[in-house]
Amino acid sequence: MADGVVMREIESGDVMDMRDETSAEVLDEINARQSQTRLSVILAVLFGIVGFLVGKAIGGAGPVVGVAALLPGMLIGKWFDGYRRVTVLYYDLEQDAETAYGRLVAAFETLTGCAGKWHVAAGGKIEDLTTWKRNAGASMLVDKKPTILASTLPQVVRSNVTPPSIHVGRQVLYFMPDLVLVKDGNRYGAIGYGDLRTQFAPSNFIEAGQVPSDAQVVGHTWAHPNKSGGPDRRFKNNRQIPICRYEALRLSSANGLNELVEFSKTNVSQPFCQAISALSRVHASHRATLYSVGQRSLTSRA
């Protein structure tokens, strides 16, 4: 409930339910490695204790030496964790798969170029006149926050590709060549491109904050409108607020993904959605080889 409006959360299900036959082995390896105890913590504590004891033995400077010993212990532990807790993936893509993935990366760069990017966490319909007036005549109330789009790998993976990624609340989506890797804390799931559903549509938003530089203003409303839509004269500081035309992109799947992001420009989501569809068709037509370096040879769609 927010401002008298019943808000419905837009959120994904359990990330551990997000898997398919092509990602099972990779996911099991990643999650198994993440469940291992961090040597960086263990060695930092051990080095600290040893440093404290040595410091006491040589003249009472135990706390100082102990604290100083924490850093090298942690660094040595992180070096070991870099091998124990990280899965290395090497992609050898055929020409059509490489071309399709290149289209997706290029379309993603169009999304990152938008001045405004948000993750929508919840929404609710405004159904009474009082709430409608209090919210500048909006028909919907949404809970959204600025989000991050970047080209980066998750810390648990090393690869010869750097995938596009979208932060969607507590989760992060990584668009790898063969699947979408979904991070939720220290747990990972995956969605095949053939199972990924996309929808996009223009969305009018009453922008009470700063209007993004690339947004299209399609009209104005009043901070406090009357029943007919004009200004409510009872409010001395009643002001006009711009209505911006944004674009909403929904990403979903049958195994639990359900996320909504919004961009300050229109006509930017279609190339991204088309690239996902093209990559899905490539996956359906043939398979490429995915190697987990130092572990075993795996086969997955690409």
Side-chain angles (χ1 to χ4, degrees), residues 179-194:
L179 49 79
V180 180
L181 194 62
V182 185
K183 175 184 183 295
D184 189 343
N186 289 325
R187 303 187 307 161
Y188 287 81
I191 299 165
Y193 283 106

Side-chain angles (χ1 to χ4, degrees), residues 38-51 65-81:
R38 294 180 182 270
L39 285 179
S40 57
V41 176
I42 295 176
L43 292 184
V45 172
L46 289 177
F47 273 54
I49 293 172
V50 172
V65 178
V67 171
L70 288 173
L71 181 59
M74 182 180 66
L75 292 177
I76 293 173
K78 287 186 69 174
W79 184 80
F80 280 112
D81 285 339

Side-chain angles (χ1 to χ4, degrees), residues 52 57 64 72 80 94 97 99 110 121 123 125 186 188 191-192 196 200 219 225 230 236 245 251 262 283:
F52 176 80
V64 175
F80 280 112
E94 294 186 12
T99 299
T110 300
K125 187 176 181 180
N186 289 325
Y188 287 81
I191 299 165
L196 181 61
F200 63 93
K236 293 182 179 179
R245 178 67 57 87
L251 301 166
E262 196 168 55
H283 292 178

Side-chain angles (χ1 to χ4, degrees), residues 141-192:
L141 191 65
V142 297
D143 175 15
K144 69 177 188 178
K145 296 179 181 178
T147 193
I148 299 172
L149 278 70
S151 295
T152 182
L153 278 165
Q155 292 184 347
V156 300
V157 172
R158 292 178 185 167
S159 179
N160 61 328
V161 300
T162 304
S165 67
I166 302 177
H167 289 246
V168 285
R170 71 175 190 272
Q171 298 179 335
V172 186
L173 310 180
Y174 296 92
F175 294 84
M176 307 297 291
D178 58 332
L179 49 79
V180 180
L181 194 62
V182 185
K183 175 184 183 295
D184 189 343
N186 289 325
R187 303 187 307 161
Y188 287 81
I191 299 165

Side-chain angles (χ1 to χ4, degrees), residues 91-119:
Y91 289 92
D92 182 20
L93 302 178
E94 294 186 12
Q95 183 61 49
D96 56 350
E98 185 175 1
T99 299
Y101 190 58
R103 284 182 58 193
L104 183 137
V105 171
F108 180 80
E109 290 176 354
T110 300
L111 298 179
T112 63
C114 294
K117 302 172 282 287
W118 304 273
H119 171 244

